[in-house]
Coordinates of all heavy atoms in Angstrom, one line a residue:
M1 N 91.6 -39.3 -22.6 CA 91.6 -37.8 -22.6 C 92.9 -37.4 -21.9 O 92.9 -37.3 -20.6 CB 90.4 -37.3 -21.9 CG 89.2 -37.1 -22.9 SD 88.6 -35.4 -22.8 CE 87.8 -35.4 -21.1
E2 N 93.9 -37.0 -22.6 CA 95.1 -36.7 -22.0 C 95.2 -35.3 -21.4 O 96.0 -35.0 -20.5 CB 96.3 -36.9 -23.0 CG 96.2 -36.1 -24.2 CD 97.3 -36.3 -25.2 OE1 97.6 -37.5 -25.5 OE2 97.9 -35.4 -25.7
N3 N 94.2 -34.5 -21.8 CA 94.2 -33.1 -21.3 C 93.2 -32.9 -20.1 O 92.8 -31.8 -19.8 CB 94.0 -32.1 -22.4 CG 95.2 -31.9 -23.2 OD1 96.3 -32.0 -22.7 ND2 95.0 -31.6 -24.5
E4 N 92.8 -34.0 -19.6 CA 91.8 -34.0 -18.5 C 92.4 -33.2 -17.3 O 93.6 -33.4 -17.0 CB 91.5 -35.4 -18.0 CG 90.2 -35.4 -17.3 CD 89.8 -36.8 -16.8 OE1 90.3 -37.8 -17.5 OE2 89.1 -37.0 -15.8
L5 N 91.6 -32.3 -16.8 CA 92.1 -31.5 -15.7 C 92.0 -32.3 -14.3 O 91.1 -33.0 -14.1 CB 91.3 -30.2 -15.6 CG 91.5 -29.3 -16.8 CD1 90.5 -28.1 -16.7 CD2 92.9 -28.8 -16.8
I6 N 93.1 -32.1 -13.6 CA 93.1 -32.8 -12.3 C 93.6 -31.8 -11.2 O 94.1 -30.7 -11.5 CB 94.0 -34.0 -12.2 CG1 95.5 -33.6 -12.7 CG2 93.5 -35.2 -13.0 CD1 96.5 -34.6 -12.3
L7 N 93.3 -32.2 -10.0 CA 93.7 -31.3 -8.8 C 94.9 -31.9 -8.2 O 94.9 -33.1 -7.9 CB 92.5 -31.3 -7.9 CG 92.3 -30.1 -6.9 CD1 92.3 -28.8 -7.7 CD2 91.0 -30.3 -6.2
V8 N 95.9 -31.1 -7.9 CA 97.1 -31.6 -7.2 C 97.4 -30.7 -6.1 O 97.2 -29.5 -6.1 CB 98.3 -31.8 -8.1 CG1 98.2 -32.9 -9.1 CG2 98.7 -30.5 -8.8
N9 N 97.9 -31.3 -5.0 CA 98.4 -30.5 -3.9 C 99.9 -30.4 -4.1 O 100.7 -31.3 -3.9 CB 98.1 -31.2 -2.6 CG 98.6 -30.5 -1.4 OD1 99.1 -29.4 -1.5 ND2 98.5 -31.1 -0.2
K10 N 100.3 -29.2 -4.5 CA 101.7 -28.9 -4.8 C 102.6 -29.1 -3.6 O 103.8 -29.3 -3.7 CB 101.9 -27.5 -5.4 CG 101.3 -27.3 -6.7 CD 102.1 -26.1 -7.3 CE 101.2 -25.3 -8.2 NZ 101.9 -24.1 -8.7
M11 N 102.0 -29.0 -2.5 CA 102.8 -29.1 -1.2 C 103.3 -30.5 -1.1 O 104.4 -30.8 -0.6 CB 101.9 -28.8 0.0 CG 102.6 -28.7 1.3 SD 104.0 -27.4 1.2 CE 103.1 -26.0 1.9
E12 N 102.6 -31.5 -1.7 CA 103.0 -32.9 -1.6 C 104.4 -33.1 -2.3 O 105.3 -33.7 -1.7 CB 102.0 -33.8 -2.3 CG 102.4 -35.3 -2.0 CD 101.4 -36.3 -2.6 OE1 100.2 -35.9 -2.7 OE2 101.8 -37.4 -3.0
S13 N 104.5 -32.6 -3.6 CA 105.8 -32.8 -4.2 C 106.9 -32.0 -3.6 O 108.1 -32.5 -3.5 CB 105.7 -32.5 -5.7 OG 105.1 -31.3 -5.9
T14 N 106.6 -30.9 -3.0 CA 107.5 -30.1 -2.3 C 108.0 -30.8 -1.0 O 109.2 -30.9 -0.8 CB 106.9 -28.7 -1.8 OG1 106.4 -28.1 -3.0 CG2 107.9 -27.8 -1.2
V15 N 107.1 -31.4 -0.3 CA 107.5 -32.2 0.9 C 108.3 -33.4 0.6 O 109.3 -33.7 1.2 CB 106.2 -32.5 1.7 CG1 106.5 -33.6 2.8 CG2 105.7 -31.3 2.4
R16 N 107.9 -34.1 -0.5 CA 108.7 -35.3 -0.9 C 110.1 -34.9 -1.2 O 111.1 -35.6 -0.9 CB 108.0 -35.9 -2.2 CG 106.8 -36.7 -1.9 CD 106.1 -37.3 -3.1 NE 104.9 -38.0 -2.9 CZ 104.8 -39.3 -2.6 NH1 105.9 -40.0 -2.5 NH2 103.7 -39.8 -2.3
Q17 N 110.3 -33.8 -1.9 CA 111.6 -33.3 -2.3 C 112.4 -32.9 -1.0 O 113.6 -33.3 -0.9 CB 111.4 -32.0 -3.1 CG 112.4 -31.7 -4.2 CD 111.9 -30.5 -5.0 OE1 110.9 -30.5 -5.7 NE2 112.6 -29.4 -4.9
A18 N 111.7 -32.3 -0.1 CA 112.4 -31.8 1.1 C 112.8 -33.0 1.9 O 113.9 -33.0 2.5 CB 111.5 -30.9 1.9
V19 N 112.0 -34.1 2.0 CA 112.3 -35.3 2.7 C 113.6 -35.9 2.1 O 114.5 -36.3 2.8 CB 111.2 -36.3 2.8 CG1 111.6 -37.7 3.3 CG2 110.0 -35.7 3.6
E20 N 113.6 -36.1 0.8 CA 114.8 -36.6 0.1 C 116.0 -35.9 0.4 O 117.1 -36.5 0.7 CB 114.6 -36.7 -1.4 CG 113.5 -37.6 -1.9 CD 113.7 -39.1 -1.6 OE1 114.9 -39.4 -1.4 OE2 112.7 -39.8 -1.6
E21 N 115.9 -34.5 0.4 CA 117.1 -33.7 0.7 C 117.6 -33.9 2.1 O 118.8 -34.0 2.4 CB 116.8 -32.2 0.4 CG 116.9 -31.8 -1.0 CD 116.5 -30.4 -1.3 OE1 116.6 -29.6 -0.4 OE2 116.0 -30.2 -2.4
L22 N 116.6 -33.9 3.1 CA 117.0 -33.9 4.5 C 117.6 -35.3 4.8 O 118.5 -35.4 5.6 CB 115.8 -33.6 5.4 CG 115.4 -32.2 5.4 CD1 114.2 -32.0 6.3 CD2 116.5 -31.3 5.9
F23 N 117.1 -36.4 4.1 CA 117.6 -37.7 4.4 C 119.1 -37.9 4.0 O 119.7 -38.7 4.5 CB 116.8 -38.7 3.6 CG 115.6 -39.3 4.3 CD1 115.2 -38.7 5.6 CD2 114.8 -40.3 3.8 CE1 114.1 -39.2 6.2 CE2 113.7 -40.8 4.5 CZ 113.4 -40.3 5.7
K24 N 119.5 -37.0 3.2 CA 121.0 -37.1 2.8 C 121.9 -36.4 3.8 O 123.1 -36.6 3.8 CB 121.2 -36.3 1.4 CG 120.6 -37.1 0.2 CD 120.9 -36.4 -1.1 CE 119.9 -36.8 -2.2 NZ 119.6 -35.7 -3.0
E25 N 121.3 -35.7 4.7 CA 122.1 -35.0 5.7 C 122.6 -35.9 6.8 O 122.0 -36.9 7.2 CB 121.3 -33.8 6.3 CG 121.1 -32.7 5.4 CD 120.4 -31.5 6.0 OE1 120.3 -31.4 7.2 OE2 120.1 -30.6 5.2
K26 N 123.9 -35.6 7.2 CA 124.5 -36.5 8.2 C 123.7 -36.6 9.5 O 123.7 -37.7 10.1 CB 125.9 -35.9 8.5 CG 126.9 -37.0 8.7 CD 128.3 -36.5 8.9 CE 129.2 -37.6 9.5 NZ 129.5 -38.7 8.6
E27 N 123.1 -35.6 9.8 CA 122.3 -35.5 11.0 C 121.2 -36.7 11.1 O 120.9 -37.1 12.2 CB 121.6 -34.2 11.1 CG 121.0 -33.8 12.5 CD 120.3 -32.5 12.4 OE1 120.5 -31.7 11.4 OE2 119.5 -32.3 13.3
Y28 N 120.8 -37.1 9.9 CA 119.7 -38.1 9.8 C 120.2 -39.4 9.4 O 119.4 -40.3 9.0 CB 118.6 -37.6 8.9 CG 118.0 -36.3 9.5 CD1 118.2 -35.1 8.8 CD2 117.2 -36.3 10.6 CE1 117.6 -33.9 9.3 CE2 116.6 -35.2 11.1 CZ 116.9 -34.0 10.5 OH 116.4 -32.8 11.0
E29 N 121.5 -39.7 9.6 CA 122.1 -40.9 9.1 C 121.4 -42.1 9.8 O 121.2 -43.1 9.2 CB 123.6 -40.9 9.5 CG 124.5 -41.4 8.4 CD 126.0 -41.1 8.8 OE1 126.3 -41.0 10.0 OE2 126.7 -40.9 7.8
S30 N 121.1 -42.0 11.1 CA 120.6 -43.1 11.9 C 119.0 -43.2 11.8 O 118.5 -44.2 12.3 CB 121.0 -42.9 13.3 OG 120.4 -41.8 13.8
V31 N 118.4 -42.3 11.0 CA 117.0 -42.4 10.9 C 116.6 -43.5 9.9 O 117.2 -43.6 8.9 CB 116.4 -41.0 10.4 CG1 115.0 -41.1 10.0 CG2 116.6 -39.9 11.5
C32 N 115.5 -44.2 10.3 CA 115.0 -45.3 9.4 C 114.4 -44.7 8.2 O 113.6 -43.8 8.2 CB 114.0 -46.2 10.1 SG 113.3 -47.5 9.1
K33 N 114.9 -45.2 7.0 CA 114.4 -44.6 5.7 C 113.6 -45.6 4.9 O 113.6 -45.5 3.7 CB 115.6 -44.0 4.9 CG 116.4 -42.9 5.7 CD 117.6 -42.5 4.9 CE 118.4 -41.5 5.7 NZ 119.1 -42.0 6.9
C34 N 113.0 -46.5 5.6 CA 112.2 -47.5 4.8 C 111.0 -46.8 4.3 O 110.7 -45.7 4.7 CB 111.8 -48.7 5.8 SG 110.5 -48.3 6.9
S35 N 110.3 -47.5 3.3 CA 109.2 -46.8 2.7 C 108.1 -46.5 3.6 O 107.4 -45.5 3.5 CB 108.7 -47.7 1.5 OG 108.3 -48.9 2.0
R36 N 107.9 -47.3 4.7 CA 106.8 -47.0 5.7 C 107.1 -45.7 6.4 O 106.3 -44.9 6.5 CB 106.7 -48.2 6.6 CG 105.6 -48.0 7.7 CD 104.3 -48.0 7.1 NE 103.4 -47.1 7.8 CZ 102.3 -47.5 8.5 NH1 102.1 -48.8 8.7 NH2 101.5 -46.6 9.1
C37 N 108.3 -45.6 6.9 CA 108.7 -44.5 7.7 C 108.7 -43.2 6.8 O 108.3 -42.1 7.2 CB 110.1 -44.6 8.4 SG 110.0 -45.8 9.7
K38 N 109.2 -43.4 5.6 CA 109.3 -42.2 4.7 C 107.8 -41.7 4.4 O 107.6 -40.5 4.5 CB 109.9 -42.7 3.4 CG 110.5 -41.5 2.6 CD 110.9 -42.0 1.2 CE 112.4 -42.0 1.1 NZ 112.9 -42.2 -0.3
L39 N 106.9 -42.6 4.2 CA 105.5 -42.2 3.9 C 104.9 -41.6 5.1 O 104.1 -40.6 5.0 CB 104.7 -43.3 3.3 CG 105.0 -43.7 1.9 CD1 104.2 -45.0 1.5 CD2 104.6 -42.6 0.9
D40 N 105.2 -42.1 6.3 CA 104.7 -41.6 7.5 C 105.2 -40.2 7.7 O 104.4 -39.3 8.2 CB 105.1 -42.5 8.7 CG 104.2 -43.7 8.9 OD1 103.0 -43.6 8.4 OD2 104.6 -44.6 9.6
I41 N 106.4 -39.9 7.4 CA 107.0 -38.6 7.6 C 106.3 -37.6 6.6 O 106.0 -36.5 7.0 CB 108.6 -38.6 7.3 CG1 109.2 -39.4 8.5 CG2 109.1 -37.2 7.1 CD1 110.7 -39.8 8.2
I42 N 106.1 -38.1 5.4 CA 105.5 -37.2 4.4 C 104.0 -36.9 4.8 O 103.6 -35.8 4.7 CB 105.5 -37.9 3.0 CG1 107.0 -38.0 2.4 CG2 104.6 -37.2 2.0 CD1 107.2 -38.9 1.2
A43 N 103.3 -37.9 5.2 CA 101.9 -37.7 5.7 C 101.8 -36.8 6.8 O 101.0 -35.8 6.8 CB 101.3 -39.1 6.1
L44 N 102.7 -37.0 7.8 CA 102.7 -36.1 9.0 C 103.0 -34.7 8.6 O 102.4 -33.7 9.1 CB 103.7 -36.7 10.0 CG 103.5 -36.6 11.4 CD1 102.1 -37.2 11.8 CD2 104.5 -37.3 12.2
S45 N 104.0 -34.5 7.8 CA 104.4 -33.1 7.3 C 103.3 -32.5 6.6 O 103.0 -31.3 6.8 CB 105.6 -33.2 6.3 OG 106.7 -33.9 6.9
L46 N 102.6 -33.2 5.7 CA 101.5 -32.6 5.0 C 100.3 -32.3 5.9 O 99.5 -31.4 5.6 CB 101.0 -33.6 3.9 CG 102.0 -33.7 2.7 CD1 101.6 -34.8 1.8 CD2 101.9 -32.4 1.9
N47 N 100.2 -32.9 7.0 CA 99.1 -32.6 8.0 C 99.5 -31.3 8.8 O 98.6 -30.6 9.3 CB 98.8 -33.8 8.9 CG 98.1 -34.9 8.3 OD1 97.4 -34.7 7.3 ND2 98.2 -36.1 8.8
I48 N 100.8 -31.1 8.9 CA 101.2 -29.9 9.6 C 101.1 -28.6 8.7 O 100.7 -27.6 9.1 CB 102.7 -30.0 10.1 CG1 102.8 -31.2 11.1 CG2 103.2 -28.7 10.7 CD1 104.2 -31.6 11.4
L49 N 101.5 -28.8 7.4 CA 101.6 -27.7 6.5 C 100.2 -27.4 5.8 O 99.4 -28.3 5.6 CB 102.6 -28.0 5.4 CG 104.0 -28.1 5.9 CD1 104.9 -28.9 4.9 CD2 104.6 -26.7 6.1
P50 N 100.0 -26.1 5.4 CA 98.8 -25.8 4.6 C 98.9 -26.4 3.2 O 100.0 -26.4 2.6 CB 98.9 -24.2 4.6 CG 100.3 -23.9 4.7 CD 100.9 -25.0 5.5
P51 N 97.8 -26.9 2.7 CA 97.8 -27.4 1.3 C 98.0 -26.3 0.3 O 97.6 -25.1 0.6 CB 96.4 -28.1 1.2 CG 95.6 -27.4 2.2 CD 96.5 -26.9 3.3
K52 N 98.5 -26.6 -0.9 CA 98.7 -25.7 -2.0 C 98.1 -26.3 -3.2 O 98.8 -26.8 -4.1 CB 100.1 -25.3 -2.2 CG 100.8 -24.5 -1.1 CD 101.4 -23.3 -1.6 CE 102.1 -22.5 -0.5 NZ 101.3 -21.5 0.2
Y53 N 96.8 -26.3 -3.3 CA 96.1 -27.0 -4.5 C 96.2 -26.1 -5.7 O 96.1 -24.9 -5.7 CB 94.7 -27.3 -4.1 CG 94.5 -28.5 -3.3 CD1 94.3 -28.4 -1.9 CD2 94.7 -29.8 -3.8 CE1 94.2 -29.5 -1.1 CE2 94.6 -30.9 -3.0 CZ 94.4 -30.8 -1.7 OH 94.3 -31.9 -0.9
A54 N 96.4 -26.8 -6.8 CA 96.4 -26.2 -8.1 C 95.7 -27.1 -9.2 O 95.7 -28.3 -9.0 CB 97.8 -25.9 -8.5
V55 N 95.2 -26.5 -10.2 CA 94.6 -27.3 -11.3 C 95.6 -27.4 -12.4 O 96.3 -26.5 -12.7 CB 93.3 -26.5 -11.9 CG1 92.8 -27.3 -13.1 CG2 92.3 -26.4 -10.8
T56 N 95.8 -28.7 -12.8 CA 96.8 -28.9 -13.9 C 96.2 -30.0 -14.8 O 95.1 -30.5 -14.6 CB 98.1 -29.3 -13.2 OG1 99.1 -29.5 -14.3 CG2 98.0 -30.7 -12.5
T57 N 97.0 -30.4 -15.8 CA 96.5 -31.5 -16.7 C 97.2 -32.7 -16.3 O 98.3 -32.7 -15.7 CB 96.8 -31.2 -18.2 OG1 98.2 -30.8 -18.3 CG2 95.9 -30.0 -18.7
Q58 N 96.6 -33.8 -16.6 CA 97.1 -35.2 -16.3 C 98.6 -35.3 -16.6 O 99.3 -35.8 -15.7 CB 96.3 -36.2 -17.1 CG 96.4 -37.6 -16.6 CD 95.5 -37.8 -15.3 OE1 96.0 -37.9 -14.2 NE2 94.2 -37.9 -15.5
G59 N 99.0 -34.9 -17.7 CA 100.4 -35.0 -18.1 C 101.4 -34.2 -17.3 O 102.5 -34.5 -17.3
N60 N 100.8 -33.2 -16.6 CA 101.7 -32.4 -15.8 C 101.6 -32.6 -14.3 O 101.9 -31.8 -13.5 CB 101.4 -30.9 -16.1 CG 102.0 -30.4 -17.4 OD1 103.0 -30.8 -17.8 ND2 101.2 -29.5 -18.1
A61 N 101.1 -33.8 -14.0 CA 100.8 -34.2 -12.6 C 102.0 -34.0 -11.7 O 101.9 -33.7 -10.6 CB 100.2 -35.6 -12.5
V62 N 103.2 -34.3 -12.3 CA 104.4 -34.1 -11.5 C 104.8 -32.7 -11.6 O 105.4 -32.2 -12.6 CB 105.5 -35.1 -11.9 CG1 106.8 -34.8 -11.0 CG2 105.1 -36.5 -11.8
V63 N 104.4 -31.9 -10.6 CA 104.7 -30.5 -10.6 C 106.0 -30.2 -9.9 O 106.2 -30.6 -8.8 CB 103.5 -29.7 -9.9 CG1 103.5 -28.3 -10.3 CG2 102.2 -30.4 -10.1
S64 N 106.8 -29.5 -10.6 CA 108.0 -29.1 -9.9 C 107.8 -27.8 -9.3 O 107.3 -26.8 -9.9 CB 109.2 -29.0 -10.9 OG 109.1 -27.9 -11.7
V65 N 108.0 -27.7 -8.0 CA 107.7 -26.5 -7.3 C 108.9 -25.7 -7.0 O 109.9 -26.2 -6.4 CB 106.9 -26.8 -6.0 CG1 106.5 -25.6 -5.3 CG2 105.7 -27.7 -6.3
K66 N 108.9 -24.5 -7.3 CA 110.0 -23.6 -6.9 C 109.6 -23.0 -5.6 O 108.6 -22.4 -5.5 CB 110.3 -22.5 -8.0 CG 110.8 -23.1 -9.3 CD 111.8 -22.1 -9.9 CE 112.5 -22.7 -11.1 NZ 111.6 -23.0 -12.2
L67 N 110.5 -23.2 -4.6 CA 110.2 -22.6 -3.4 C 110.5 -21.1 -3.5 O 111.6 -20.7 -3.5 CB 111.0 -23.2 -2.3 CG 110.7 -24.7 -2.0 CD1 111.6 -25.3 -0.9 CD2 109.3 -24.9 -1.7
S68 N 109.4 -20.4 -3.6 CA 109.5 -19.0 -4.0 C 110.1 -18.1 -2.9 O 110.8 -17.1 -3.2 CB 108.1 -18.4 -4.4 OG 107.2 -18.8 -3.4
S69 N 109.8 -18.4 -1.7 CA 110.3 -17.5 -0.6 C 111.1 -18.4 0.4 O 110.8 -19.5 0.6 CB 109.2 -16.8 0.1 OG 108.5 -17.6 0.9
D70 N 112.1 -17.7 1.0 CA 112.8 -18.4 2.1 C 111.9 -18.8 3.2 O 112.2 -19.8 3.9 CB 113.9 -17.5 2.6 CG 115.1 -17.3 1.6 OD1 115.1 -18.1 0.6 OD2 115.9 -16.4 1.7
Q71 N 110.9 -18.0 3.5 CA 110.0 -18.3 4.6 C 109.3 -19.6 4.4 O 109.2 -20.4 5.2 CB 109.0 -17.1 4.8 CG 108.1 -17.3 5.9 CD 108.8 -17.5 7.3 OE1 109.7 -16.8 7.6 NE2 108.5 -18.6 8.0
W72 N 108.8 -19.8 3.1 CA 108.1 -21.0 2.8 C 109.0 -22.2 2.9 O 108.7 -23.2 3.5 CB 107.5 -20.9 1.4 CG 106.5 -22.0 1.1 CD1 105.7 -22.6 2.1 CD2 106.2 -22.6 -0.1 NE1 105.0 -23.6 1.5 CE2 105.2 -23.6 0.1 CE3 106.7 -22.5 -1.4 CZ2 104.7 -24.4 -0.9 CZ3 106.2 -23.3 -2.4 CH2 105.2 -24.2 -2.1
R73 N 110.3 -22.1 2.4 CA 111.3 -23.1 2.5 C 111.5 -23.5 4.0 O 111.6 -24.6 4.4 CB 112.6 -22.7 1.9 CG 113.6 -23.7 1.9 CD 114.8 -23.2 1.1 NE 115.0 -23.8 -0.2 CZ 115.4 -25.0 -0.5 NH1 115.8 -25.7 0.5 NH2 115.5 -25.4 -1.7
A74 N 111.6 -22.4 4.8 CA 111.8 -22.6 6.3 C 110.6 -23.4 6.9 O 110.8 -24.3 7.7 CB 112.1 -21.3 7.0
D75 N 109.4 -23.0 6.5 CA 108.2 -23.6 7.1 C 108.2 -25.1 6.7 O 107.9 -26.0 7.5 CB 107.0 -23.0 6.5 CG 106.7 -21.6 7.1 OD1 107.5 -21.3 8.1 OD2 105.9 -20.9 6.6
V76 N 108.5 -25.4 5.4 CA 108.5 -26.8 5.0 C 109.6 -27.6 5.7 O 109.3 -28.7 6.3 CB 108.7 -26.9 3.5 CG1 108.9 -28.4 3.0 CG2 107.5 -26.3 2.7
S77 N 110.8 -27.1 5.8 CA 111.9 -27.8 6.5 C 111.5 -28.0 8.0 O 111.7 -29.1 8.5 CB 113.1 -27.0 6.5 OG 113.5 -26.8 5.2
M78 N 110.9 -27.0 8.6 CA 110.5 -27.1 10.0 C 109.5 -28.3 10.2 O 109.7 -29.1 11.1 CB 109.9 -25.8 10.5 CG 109.8 -25.7 12.0 SD 111.4 -25.8 12.8 CE 111.9 -24.1 12.9
A79 N 108.5 -28.3 9.3 CA 107.5 -29.4 9.5 C 108.1 -30.8 9.2 O 107.8 -31.7 10.0 CB 106.4 -29.1 8.4
V80 N 109.0 -30.9 8.3 CA 109.6 -32.1 8.0 C 110.6 -32.6 9.1 O 110.6 -33.7 9.5 CB 110.4 -32.1 6.6 CG1 111.1 -33.4 6.4 CG2 109.4 -31.9 5.5
Y81 N 111.3 -31.6 9.7 CA 112.2 -31.9 10.9 C 111.3 -32.5 12.0 O 111.6 -33.5 12.6 CB 112.8 -30.6 11.4 CG 114.0 -30.1 10.7 CD1 114.1 -28.7 10.4 CD2 115.0 -30.9 10.2 CE1 115.1 -28.2 9.7 CE2 116.1 -30.4 9.5 CZ 116.1 -29.0 9.3 OH 117.2 -28.5 8.6
K82 N 110.2 -31.8 12.2 CA 109.3 -32.3 13.3 C 108.8 -33.7 13.0 O 108.7 -34.5 13.9 CB 108.1 -31.3 13.3 CG 107.8 -30.8 14.7 CD 106.5 -30.0 14.7 CE 106.7 -28.5 14.7 NZ 105.5 -27.7 14.7
A83 N 108.3 -33.9 11.8 CA 107.8 -35.2 11.4 C 108.8 -36.3 11.5 O 108.5 -37.4 12.0 CB 107.2 -35.2 10.0
I84 N 110.1 -36.0 11.1 CA 111.2 -37.0 11.2 C 111.4 -37.4 12.6 O 111.5 -38.6 13.0 CB 112.5 -36.5 10.6 CG1 112.4 -36.4 9.1 CG2 113.7 -37.4 11.0 CD1 113.6 -35.8 8.4
K85 N 111.3 -36.4 13.5 CA 111.6 -36.7 14.9 C 110.5 -37.6 15.5 O 110.7 -38.5 16.2 CB 111.6 -35.3 15.7 CG 112.5 -35.3 16.9 CD 112.5 -33.8 17.4 CE 113.4 -33.7 18.6 NZ 113.3 -32.4 19.2
I86 N 109.2 -37.3 15.2 CA 108.1 -38.0 15.7 C 108.1 -39.5 15.2 O 108.0 -40.4 16.0 CB 106.7 -37.3 15.3 CG1 106.6 -36.0 16.0 CG2 105.6 -38.2 15.6 CD1 105.5 -35.1 15.5
V87 N 108.3 -39.6 13.9 CA 108.3 -41.0 13.3 C 109.5 -41.8 13.8 O 109.4 -43.0 14.1 CB 108.3 -40.9 11.8 CG1 108.4 -42.3 11.1 CG2 107.0 -40.3 11.3
N88 N 110.7 -41.1 13.9 CA 111.9 -41.8 14.3 C 111.7 -42.3 15.8 O 112.3 -43.4 16.1 CB 113.1 -40.9 14.1 CG 114.4 -41.7 14.3 OD1 114.5 -42.8 13.7 ND2 115.3 -41.1 15.0
N89 N 111.1 -41.5 16.6 CA 110.9 -41.9 18.0 C 109.8 -43.0 18.2 O 109.8 -43.6 19.2 CB 110.5 -40.7 18.8 CG 111.7 -39.8 19.1 OD1 112.9 -40.2 19.0 ND2 111.5 -38.5 19.3
N90 N 109.0 -43.1 17.2 CA 107.8 -44.0 17.3 C 107.5 -44.7 16.0 O 106.4 -44.5 15.5 CB 106.6 -43.2 17.9 CG 105.6 -44.2 18.4 OD1 105.8 -45.4 18.5 ND2 104.5 -43.6 18.7
P91 N 108.5 -45.5 15.4 CA 108.2 -46.1 14.1 C 107.0 -47.1 14.1 O 106.9 -47.7 15.2 CB 109.5 -46.8 13.7 CG 110.3 -46.9 15.0 CD 109.8 -45.8 15.9
R92 N 106.3 -47.1 13.1 CA 105.1 -48.0 13.1 C 105.5 -49.4 12.6 O 104.8 -50.1 11.9 CB 104.1 -47.5 12.1 CG 103.7 -46.0 12.3 CD 102.3 -45.9 12.9 NE 102.0 -44.5 13.1 CZ 101.2 -43.8 12.4 NH1 100.6 -44.4 11.3 NH2 100.9 -42.6 12.6
H93 N 106.7 -49.8 13.0 CA 107.1 -51.2 12.8 C 108.1 -51.6 13.8 O 108.6 -50.7 14.5 CB 107.6 -51.4 11.3 CG 108.8 -50.5 11.0 ND1 110.0 -50.6 11.7 CD2 108.9 -49.4 10.2 CE1 110.8 -49.6 11.2 NE2 110.2 -48.9 10.3
S94 N 108.5 -52.9 13.9 CA 109.4 -53.2 15.0 C 110.8 -53.2 14.4 O 111.0 -53.1 13.2 CB 109.1 -54.6 15.5 OG 108.9 -55.5 14.4
Ligands
ZN101 ZN1 111.2 -47.7 9.0

């Protein structure tokens, strides 16, 4: 059933996008970007931010989110900055 309805948290793809963007900045050159740290940063950011659930179809699971307001963009960036700092100071690996 390709049109089966599923629930997605749109905030997740937004955060993943924001992390990718921030990782390209010079400021984060020294930050560990391994998959473990990246996922920890995403998880932590998602725990800080409010979820944005939406109903969609299986085929549209990858939702591209337009950051509609500057305020929302600022909130997402702020949470990701915070998460990068926490994970970088205390990576879950040696
Ligand atoms: Zn790492």
